């Protein structure tokens, strides 16, 4: 007779071995980081006004640096960080609001770069889809945060859902992209729309659906009542785990250590915060940091490309991100899961209080 308990123990043993290896690899990355993904914040302007926006973008926000300055950063990376050229993620705000976007993409492509993009999708006409493909865009993630009424209300744009869905269809009709992904941010109000959204997306030809929980960052800090409850979090992760065996690839975001039951079950690998070891960002004003969702303060800003070349900042700074967050907090440092979690994700860390805003211990495990 099949021993379910014994099988589960063996799965846990295998997972623990994998996470031990990853913990050792993380230590190596602290010493020898590898820039795999470079975010360029092209603008803070946006035609939407999402209540959960980590960067607090809006229609009256600033544009980013001149095209020439971003190209200077890309040339510097190519010349002074030898080896694998990182993927460049174009983001904002809404990057398609930049009138010189395609000029920038064309020149960056001549340097050997290819792009990913995060977008709200509302500005992607058939012609824009053609230009994106022609100028080196390989992957794109479009935000859909609920059914039509919910999406439009939470993202602050009437007609936003319809226009975003049209944008997705325009990308699919153009073809030639490595991945067209939809990203959905779940909160306490829209989590009940998971099932109907799944049925909508499984009938579209998208490559994956990335589902994440709302994070206590940016404007979302002003809406604590919309944070996920423990029951919401368990429902979300159970939903993803069940759907990952079906036709539409569903995945949880890279955030947070989720415990033995969910690690490797809801995404392709185990938790590793990539900030400052795989990932860096150049912000709209030239500031350099790790993940763009991380709180922007004196501790997290590592320099500015107007004063220091990006390659020098990457090689000589970022010490904050190249040691475990757990070292900064007694509770984290003495936790039995510290080896695998290392204090959690940088973007949800409170750098004033030096503590984690989201910890799933005693909620999921």
């Amino acid at each position: 007779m099949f021993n379910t308990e014994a099988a589960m123990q063996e799965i846990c043993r295998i997972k623990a071995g994998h996470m031990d290896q990853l913990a050792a690899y993380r230590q190596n990355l602290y010493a020898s980081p590898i820039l795999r993904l470079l975010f360029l914040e092209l603008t803070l302007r946006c035609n939407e006004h999402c209540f959960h926006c980590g960067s607090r973008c809006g229609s009256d926000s600033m544009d980013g640096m001149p095209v020439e300055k971003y190209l200077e950063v890309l040339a510097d990376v190519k010349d002074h960080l030898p080896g694998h050229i990182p993927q460049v993620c174009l983001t904002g705000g809404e990057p398609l609001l930049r009138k010189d976007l395609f000029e920038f993409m064309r020149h960056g492509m001549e340097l050997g770069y290819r792009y990913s993009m995060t977008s709200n999708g509302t500005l992607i006409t058939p012609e824009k889809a053609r230009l994106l493909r022609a100028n080196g865009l390989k992957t794109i993630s479009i935000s859909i945060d609920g059914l039509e009424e919910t999406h439009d209300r939470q993202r602050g744009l009437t007609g936003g859902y319809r226009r975003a869905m049209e944008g997705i269809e325009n990308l699919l009709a153009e073809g030639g992209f490595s991945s067209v992904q939809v990203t959905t941010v779940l909160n306490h109000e829209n989590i009940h729309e998971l099932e109907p959204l799944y049925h909508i997306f499984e009938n579209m030809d998208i490559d994956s659906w990335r589902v994440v929980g709302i994070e206590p960052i940016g404007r979302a800090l002003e809406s604590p009542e919309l944070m996920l409850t423990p029951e919401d979090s368990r429902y979300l992760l159970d939903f993803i785990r069940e759907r990952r065996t079906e036709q539409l690839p569903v995945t949880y975001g890279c955030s947070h250590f989720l415990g033995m039951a969910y690690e490797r079950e809801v995404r392709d690998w185990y938790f590793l915060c990539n900030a400052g070891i795989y990932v860096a960002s150049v912000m709209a004003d030239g500031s350099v940091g790790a993940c763009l969702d991380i709180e922007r303060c004196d501790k997290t800003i590592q320099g500015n490309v107007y004063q220091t070349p990006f390659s020098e900042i990457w090689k000589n700074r970022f010490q904050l991100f190249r040691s475990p967050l757990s070292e900064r907090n007694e509770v984290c440092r003495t936790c039995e899961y510290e080896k695998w979690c290392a204090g959690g994700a940088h973007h949800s860390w409170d750098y004033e209080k030096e503590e984690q805003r989201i910890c799933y211990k005693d909620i999921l495990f």
Side-chain angles (χ1 to χ4, degrees):
M1 184 176 178
F2 183 72
N3 189 327
T4 304
E5 183 177 352
M8 290 301 299
Q9 289 177 349
E10 178 62 12
I11 290 172
C12 289
R13 186 192 67 78
I14 293 171
K15 285 185 177 182
H18 288 165
M19 289 189 285
D20 284 347
Q21 292 177 45
L22 184 59
Y25 180 65
R26 184 179 63 236
Q27 288 299 129
N28 291 332
L29 283 175
Y30 287 154
S32 302
I34 305 168
L35 182 63
R36 289 188 172 177
L37 182 59
L38 176 60
F39 283 88
L40 298 182
E41 189 177 63
L42 299 181
T43 181
L44 287 175
R45 289 190 299 127
C46 190
N47 57 332
E48 295 189 328
H49 191 82
C50 305
F51 87 92
H52 58 267
C53 180
S55 301
R56 299 180 182 269
C57 300
S59 58
D60 58 349
S61 298
M62 63 178 285
D63 242 343
M65 301 185 299
V67 160
E68 294 76 16
K69 194 64 182 176
Y70 288 110
L71 291 172
E72 181 183 305
V73 170
L74 295 188
D76 171 52
V77 169
K78 182 179 179 180
D79 292 342
H80 296 102
L81 295 178
H84 175 71
I85 292 182
Q87 179 173 309
V88 173
C89 182
L90 308 177
T91 187
E94 173 48 56
L96 283 161
L97 286 173
R98 285 281 304 230
K99 297 186 185 307
D100 50 8
L101 172 66
F102 298 112
E103 174 192 353
F104 163 71
M105 293 180 69
R106 182 174 68 255
H107 289 301
M109 191 166 59
E110 292 170 358
L111 289 171
Y113 288 91
R114 296 298 182 269
Y115 307 102
S116 59
M117 178 180 286
T118 57
S119 171
N120 61 37
T122 61
L123 303 177
I124 301 178
T125 62
E127 175 64 7
K128 291 283 178 62
R130 184 190 70 79
L131 287 169
L132 287 169
R133 181 188 59 77
N135 286 284
L137 186 72
K138 293 301 182 182
T139 67
I140 186 167
S141 182
I142 305 296
S143 298
I144 299 290
D145 289 338
L147 299 175
E148 185 167 4
E149 179 184 352
T150 302
H151 175 95
D152 287 2
R153 182 177 67 256
Q154 295 192 354
R155 298 188 69 86
L157 179 65
T158 302
Y161 176 90
R162 174 185 55 79
R163 290 167 59 184
M165 294 295 276
E166 289 174 358
I168 295 169
E169 293 294 353
N170 290 333
L171 292 165
L172 296 173
E174 176 64 31
F177 302 100
S178 300
S179 175
V180 176
Q181 180 187 73
V182 170
T183 293
T184 299
V185 179
L186 271 297
N187 59 67
H188 185 59
E189 181 182 285
N190 67 359
I191 193 166
H192 68 281
E193 297 179 353
L194 258 178
E195 190 75 42
L197 283 171
Y198 177 84
H199 292 301
I200 290 171
F201 296 140
E202 73 172 339
N203 291 314
M204 301 174 69
D205 195 25
I206 62 172
D207 294 287
S208 62
W209 182 27
R210 180 172 176 264
V211 186
V212 298
I214 187 173
E215 300 283 349
I217 58 176
R219 280 199 290 260
L221 288 168
E222 299 163 15
S223 301
E225 74 282 1
L226 292 181
M227 293 295 138
L228 295 177
T229 65
E231 293 74 22
D232 292 338
S233 295
R234 288 190 290 269
Y235 170 72
L236 169 60
L237 294 171
D238 286 341
F239 179 93
I240 295 173
R241 181 166 56 185
E242 292 167 8
R243 295 307 188 281
R244 280 177 66 80
T245 60
E246 300 180 16
Q247 182 177 353
L248 173 65
V250 186
T251 185
Y252 183 69
C254 59
S255 303
H256 311 305
F257 176 70
L258 304 175
M260 191 65 75
Y262 292 106
E263 282 295 327
R264 188 58 178 84
E265 305 292 326
V266 295
R267 52 194 170 203
D268 292 342
W269 199 236
Y270 301 91
F271 169 69
L272 172 68
C273 183
N274 294 329
I277 53 176
Y278 280 148
V279 172
S281 303
V282 179
M283 302 171 199
D285 65 353
S287 296
V288 174
C291 168
L292 283 169
D293 284 333
I294 293 171
E295 174 187 346
R296 301 180 189 191
C297 62
D298 291 342
K299 291 180 181 179
T300 61
I301 300 297
Q302 302 300 297
N304 192 292
V305 295
Y306 280 109
Q307 299 158 0
T308 310
F310 173 87
S311 60
E312 291 187 19
I313 298 172
W314 173 258
K315 288 187 287 189
N316 301 322
R317 302 183 190 174
F318 280 90
Q319 289 85 358
L320 170 69
F321 303 102
R322 294 171 185 169
S323 62
L325 277 170
S326 51
E327 293 180 356
R328 308 168 71 91
N329 179 280
E330 178 66 19
V331 173
C332 290
R333 186 165 57 250
T334 57
C335 175
E336 61 188 298
Y337 300 100
E338 186 276 338
K339 180 179 181 180
W340 298 334
C341 176
H346 275 272
H347 74 266
S348 55
W349 189 263
D350 187 322
Y351 286 92
E352 181 179 348
K353 297 180 180 178
E354 294 292 5
E355 64 185 21
Q356 186 58 252
R357 292 188 176 117
I358 296 183
C359 177
Y360 282 111
K361 184 181 178 183
D362 299 326
I363 294 177
L364 301 178
F365 58 93

